[in-house]
Amino acid sequence: MAEKVPVLSVQDVHKQFGDTPVLNGVSLDLFRGDIKVVIGPSGGGKSTLLHCINFLVKMDAGNIYLNDTRIDQSRKRELYAYRQKVGMIFQDFNLFDHLDALHNVMIGLVQVRKLPRSEARQRAEAELERVGLKDHMAKYPAELSGGQKQRVSIARALAMEPEVMLLDEPTSALDPELIGEVHEVIRAMAALGMTMLLVTHEIGFASTLAKEIYFMDGGRILEQGPPQKILFDAEQARTREFCSKIGRLNENSD
Amino acid sequence: MIEELLFIRQEVAPELIAGLWMSIQLIIPSAVCGLLIGIVIGTLRVYGSPGLKGFAGIYVLFFRGFPLLVQLYLWYFGLPRIGIYLSPFAASVIGFSLCSGAYQSEYIRGALQSIRKGQLLAAYSIGFSHTRAIFSILLPQAVRRALPGCGNELIYLIKYSSLAYMVTCIELTGKGSILANFHFKYLEIFIIVGAIYLLLVSVVSVGLNYLEDRIAVPGFDRPKI
C-alpha cells in the first residue's frame, strides 16, 4: 500500500433495528483514489452501512475515521464538516423538490459553505456542466428524468468538494437507458481519482471500475477481493451462489 | 326606495365602514401572528425535542379545545382578576392569534409529515444542521403544501373576528348590531353586514389563489379549478 493512512476507515460497525441485527461488525478502509464496491443481497445491510458511515443512521457501536481523525457525532460542528467531506448519493436521488437543478447544487454552497451567491452560482453551474446538464439548470426535479436527477444529485455532492463519495445503489431506480448516463458520470469521477464506496447490483459495471469488491450478507462482509476473484472464483459458497445468479443477469451491461 | 337608499348612505354606511376598518385591524395582525405561531408550533410538534413536542401538543389541545368565545372572555374578563388589564382590541387580537395558531399548526404539521424523509437526509448529507435543514428545506415545501389549508383558516378567522364584539371591541358585526337595534332594521342591516363579509372573503380567496400560483413549483402543482 503506497499510503499508510486511509482516507476513510470504518471500524467494527454494529447496528440493530429493534431486535433485528443489520450490521454485525463491519470494517473497511478506503485509501485515496480507491474505488471499492459492495455487493450482496437486499437486506444484507449495504444501505444501512453507508447511512451509518455518514451518521444518517445512528450506529450502535463502531468508529469512523476520516484521515485518521475519529469522528465524534455528538460534536455537531465536527459532524457537519465531516458530512461535507463525505458525499452521499441516494438510491432515490433525494433532490430538494422545491428548488430547480441550479439551486439544488447552490444551496449547500450558500447556506453551509457561506459562499457569496455569485460565486456559488458559478461553482454550481460548473458542476452541472460537468455532469452534462448545462441546458437543464432551470428545471425542477419533477421536470427531470431519473438519470438527470441522479446527475444533479452527484453535482450537488461534488460541489461540496468531498474527499470520499458514498454511492447507495445510484442506478437501481433507473431504467437501462438511463443507467448508462449515470455510469458515465461515475466513470468520469473515477478518472479524476475520486475515492468511492459504491453499493450496486450492476456487477458488470462494478467489476470494470472496482479495485476490490466486498460481498455482504447478514450484516457482515463475508468475503472481499479483486472483482475477478469474487465474481468467478469466490471461496465462500454463499458468495458463489449469489454471483452465479447476478453474473448471468449482467452479462450485457457495460 | 330612495328614502331607504338615503338612509343607508347617511346612517348605515359610515358606521359600517368604521366597523369594517376595525375588523380589518383585528384580522391582519391576528392572521400574521396566527400563521407564525402555527409554523412554530407545527414544526415543534414534528421536529421538537420531547419537551417542546409536549408543550406544542398541550398548546394545541387547549387553544383548539376551549371555545374561542370562552378564550376571549378569559383574556378580557378573566385576566383582570390577576391584575392584567387588556383593552378589548388587545384581548381580541391575542385571542384570535392564539386560537388561529393552534389550527394553523395542524396544517403545517400535516404538511411537514407528508415530506419524504429523504429530503432531510439529503440536507444532512451536504452538511446542513437539523435546524437549518428544517428552515431551508422542509418548511418551504411544507408551507406550499399547507397553503390551501392555511388559507381556509384565514377565511374562517375573518368570520370569527366578529366575536370581538362580545368583548366590547366594536367591529363590523358590533356596529351592525347597534344599528339594527337602534333602527329596528335587522333584516336589511344584517344582509348588508353579511355581504361585506362575503366581499372580504372573496377578496382574500382571490389573493390566496394568486399566492398559490405565485409560489407554485413543478411537483407542487395543484389542479386548476
Side-chain angles (χ1 to χ4, degrees):
Chain A
M1 215 43 64
E3 289 168 78
K4 282 157 257 127
V5 179
V7 184
L8 184 76
S9 179
V10 177
Q11 290 181 8
D12 203 26
V13 172
H14 289 259
K15 176 69 192 173
Q16 234 173 298
F17 286 124
D19 291 333
T20 317
V22 184
L23 296 174
N24 296 308
V26 176
S27 302
L28 55 87
D29 286 332
L30 285 172
F31 292 89
R32 198 162 296 285
D34 271 0
I35 298 172
K36 297 191 175 176
V37 170
V38 184
I39 61 168
S42 300
K46 309 183 299 294
S47 234
T48 307
L49 174 65
L50 291 201
H51 281 74
C52 281
I53 293 176
N54 216 346
F55 298 98
L56 296 176
V57 166
K58 199 170 191 274
M59 61 181 96
D60 300 332
N63 285 307
I64 309 288
Y65 294 82
L66 184 73
N67 296 316
D68 228 12
T69 309
R70 195 180 85 86
I71 307 305
D72 179 353
Q73 69 161 322
S74 64
R75 293 159 79 160
K76 294 295 176 200
R77 285 191 179 284
E78 232 172 74
L79 177 65
Y80 303 148
Y82 164 80
R83 282 180 176 149
Q84 292 176 52
K85 296 273 169 233
V86 180
M88 177 96 179
I89 301 302
F90 300 88
Q91 190 175 340
D92 44 6
F93 331 122
N94 289 341
L95 290 186
F96 303 130
D97 290 328
H98 63 303
L99 299 174
D100 63 19
L102 179 67
H103 287 86
N104 259 280
V105 182
M106 268 176 74
I107 193 166
L109 296 171
V110 173
Q111 300 218 359
V112 181
R113 280 292 181 79
K114 312 279 181 211
L115 290 186
R117 288 194 76 84
S118 59
E119 198 185 328
R121 174 181 281 267
Q122 271 180 4
R123 283 263 293 277
E125 284 173 354
E127 291 297 344
L128 284 166
E129 200 170 339
R130 196 137 78 103
V131 297
L133 291 174
K134 198 181 168 210
D135 301 328
H136 301 278
M137 293 197 284
K139 287 191 180 164
Y140 285 89
E143 300 170 316
L144 295 168
S145 74
Q148 290 168 336
K149 280 190 237 186
Q150 195 58 294
R151 285 188 282 154
V152 174
S153 95
I154 291 172
R156 180 176 67 183
L158 287 177
M160 308 306 288
E161 300 175 305
E163 292 186 38
V164 182
M165 288 284 272
L166 308 174
L167 300 101
D168 182 13
E169 300 193 27
T171 55
S172 59
L174 303 177
D175 72 46
E177 279 187 318
L178 299 177
I179 287 176
E181 64 185 55
V182 174
H183 280 173
E184 216 172 283
V185 171
I186 296 174
R187 260 188 223 290
M189 275 199 287
L192 290 172
M194 178 60 76
T195 311
M196 287 191 261
L197 184 61
L198 169 65
V199 170
T200 188
H201 293 302
E202 300 286 329
I203 306 298
F205 171 70
S207 62
T208 63
L209 207 65
K211 192 174 123 187
E212 198 165 36
I213 290 188
Y214 296 98
F215 176 72
M216 243 183 115
D217 192 17
R220 281 176 218 283
I221 294 177
L222 287 186
E223 195 166 355
Q224 67 190 80
Q228 294 307 311
K229 178 168 177 286
I230 297 292
L231 296 180
F232 304 112
D233 191 21
E235 281 165 20
Q236 307 268 349
R238 180 74 186 94
T239 316
R240 279 202 301 276
E241 186 197 341
F242 183 79
C243 290
S244 70
K245 284 171 192 155
I246 46 173
R248 279 200 301 279
L249 289 174
N250 279 280
E251 262 163 16
N252 298 323
S253 75
D254 53 343
Chain B
M1 186 67 194
I2 302 271
E3 205 178 312
E4 284 285 290
L5 287 175
L6 230 84
F7 162 73
I8 287 170
R9 200 180 134 190
Q10 283 168 358
E11 307 282 331
V12 177
E15 289 292 300
L16 289 187
I17 286 169
L20 172 64
W21 177 232
M22 175 53 78
S23 286
I24 289 171
Q25 284 177 300
L26 286 167
I27 291 163
I28 289 175
S30 303
V32 172
C33 294
L35 186 61
L36 291 177
I37 292 171
I39 289 173
V40 172
I41 295 288
T43 307
L44 289 180
R45 284 197 79 187
V46 185
Y47 289 107
S49 62
L52 288 171
K53 249 184 207 169
F55 164 76
I58 289 168
Y59 177 93
V60 174
L61 181 69
F62 276 95
F63 288 101
R64 213 172 45 158
F66 272 44
L68 178 57
L69 187 56
V70 175
Q71 291 180 41
L72 290 177
Y73 282 164
L74 283 171
W75 296 125
Y76 186 64
F77 297 115
L79 284 186
R81 176 72 184 276
I82 54 168
I84 299 170
Y85 295 86
L86 295 175
S87 69
F89 178 79
S92 303
V93 170
I94 289 171
F96 296 154
S97 300
L98 292 172
C99 176
S100 190
Y103 282 97
Q104 296 287 26
S105 78
E106 285 293 277
Y107 295 114
I108 298 290
R109 179 172 73 91
L112 278 172
Q113 284 173 335
S114 76
I115 295 170
R116 289 174 299 124
K117 184 152 185 259
Q119 297 286 308
L120 197 56
L121 294 184
Y124 290 158
S125 79
I126 53 171
F128 274 77
S129 68
H130 186 59
T131 314
R132 190 173 280 280
I134 289 170
F135 277 97
S136 301
I137 306 298
L138 299 185
L139 279 175
Q141 298 184 31
V143 167
R144 284 182 170 87
R145 290 195 187 173
L147 194 60
C150 291
N152 193 42
E153 169 58 25
L154 172 58
I155 282 170
Y156 196 43
L157 167 67
I158 290 172
K159 288 171 295 165
Y160 65 60
S161 72
S162 64
L163 287 176
Y165 167 51
M166 306 304 285
V167 289
T168 73
C169 182
I170 307 302
E171 39 61 76
L172 181 55
T173 306
K175 287 283 188 197
S177 293
I178 293 166
L179 284 172
N181 286 331
F182 186 77
H183 297 289
F184 212 69
K185 286 183 187 295
Y186 293 97
L187 183 68
E188 298 86 333
I189 285 173
F190 282 122
I191 284 177
I192 295 171
V193 168
I196 295 174
Y197 279 107
L198 182 65
L199 184 71
L200 215 53
V201 166
S202 305
V203 169
V204 169
S205 299
V206 170
L208 283 167
N209 274 328
Y210 174 74
L211 184 64
E212 275 184 52
D213 282 339
R214 270 303 294 272
I215 67 171
V217 297
F220 290 82
D221 297 333
R222 61 212 180 83
K224 286 278 171 213
I225 306 158

